Each structure stands twice: as C-alpha cells, then as structure tokens.
Amino acid sequence: MKKLFALILAITLMATLSATAFAADYDTAGDKGMNVTYSVAPAYTVTIPTDVTIDGNSTTISAEDVVVEKGQYVSVTLAENNDFTVTSGEGATLTYTVTANGKDIAAGGEILVVNPADSATGTANITFDIDESDIKYAGTYTGSATFTIAVKDAPKTIINFTIDGETFEAEEGMTWAEWID
C-alpha cells in the first residue's frame, strides 16, 4: 500500500511541476535567434566652483563619469552673456580676463571638452585675472561668470596623416589657422 501511495504521489508531483514555456514556435530545424536589449541613459557630472577670487591663481572645472551617445561629447563653455566685469559697492567697475589651461577664453569660448572616446573624465584649470594698471578705486568688487554645459556632436576627421611619427588631423569645419595651431 505504501508503494502504491508513493507512486501516486510521485505522479501527482510530476504533473503539478510541469509548465509550458511560452516562446517563439519553430517548426523547422536550423539556427534561430532572439532579441537582446540593454539601454544606457546619457549621464555625466560637471563640477564648477561656486566662488572664485580674482588673484591670479587657477581653479578647476571638471567633468567625470561621461557617458553620451557615440559621436558626442560634453562641452563646458563660458556663456555668451558674460560681460567680464566686477563692480564695487560704490559702482566702480573692473574688467577681468579668463584663461583656460593657459589659453585666452572669450564669451562663448570652450573651456572643457570631454569625449568618452578618449576619456570619461577631464579637467580645465581656469584663471580669472585683472590688469592691475586699471585699478583706480579701493573696494570689494563682485560679479558673476556663467557657464554653459552641453552635449554636442563631435567633429568628424576629414584628413589624418603621420609625418616622422607625429599624427596630424584636420576636422570638419576647422580653419587653416586652427589646424596649424
């Protein structure tokens, strides 16, 4: 009796544990495929200090963990609306200049480019400076600088050649003066 009961129990368990797998039905032999999907959202972190003192010392702007679509990069520019002035409480003004990694930057000028094809991180050392010969009045001068962060399409290389081990590239939209610089 115990053996009969064990047999019935085993058959019942097998019947309840079976399940139908729902998938594509194929009625011919050969290779079959399935779609595999993985999505990655664009992401990046740009760090811009909230305050800077104009004293000739540099401060750092950085971008890290840059993940954008292939053929794009993260750009940090000095916004077009910057007037490059600081004003005292009494209304006196001074004009300042901005350099990034030793290069003068005008309003709208690019300060930092991070292309994940090269690296997922990047930094720019920026310096705000005043020509001391322009100073006429004592006081504390304040102002602001605005930056624009954007994801842009990377320029396409239109020519690439190597001479004596040094590689030269010309990109779409590049002027002759930019290329030889």
Side-chain angles (χ1 to χ4, degrees):
M1 184 74 161
K2 287 184 181 181
K3 288 184 182 182
L4 179 63
F5 180 71
L7 179 62
I8 293 171
L9 183 60
I11 292 171
T12 305
L13 280 172
M14 287 174 39
T16 59
L17 291 178
S18 66
T20 303
F22 296 100
D25 293 327
Y26 298 107
D27 60 1
T28 60
D31 293 342
K32 308 300 180 205
M34 75 167 76
N35 294 325
V36 178
T37 303
Y38 183 73
S39 297
V40 178
Y44 52 87
T45 302
V46 174
T47 304
I48 300 172
T50 56
D51 296 298
V52 65
T53 300
I54 300 176
D55 59 5
N57 293 319
S58 67
T59 189
T60 302
I61 292 179
S62 64
E64 54 192 29
D65 303 323
V66 174
V67 176
V68 293
E69 292 184 19
K70 185 174 181 164
Q72 294 185 326
Y73 66 95
V74 171
S75 168
V76 180
T77 58
L78 200 52
E80 290 282 348
N81 63 347
N82 284 296
D83 64 2
F84 298 94
T85 62
V86 287
T87 306
S88 72
E90 295 77 28
T93 61
L94 292 171
T95 301
Y96 62 85
T97 59
V98 178
T99 58
N101 297 327
K103 185 176 180 181
D104 291 337
I105 303 295
E110 210 157 41
I111 292 174
L112 177 63
V113 170
V114 179
N115 186 336
D118 302 323
S119 175
T121 62
T123 60
N125 295 316
I126 62 169
T127 305
F128 292 78
D129 209 0
I130 289 181
D131 182 350
E132 291 185 3
S133 67
D134 293 339
I135 298 173
K136 296 178 184 170
Y137 306 107
T140 300
Y141 293 75
T142 60
S144 64
T146 305
F147 299 87
T148 302
I149 302 166
V151 175
K152 297 181 177 180
D153 290 331
K156 294 174 179 54
T157 300
I158 57 173
I159 188 170
N160 180 338
F161 60 93
T162 303
I163 298 175
D164 294 331
E166 187 174 355
T167 301
F168 300 90
E169 286 187 352
E171 296 173 342
E172 185 176 51
M174 184 179 267
T175 66
W176 177 254
E178 291 171 327
W179 187 75
I180 60 174
D181 188 28

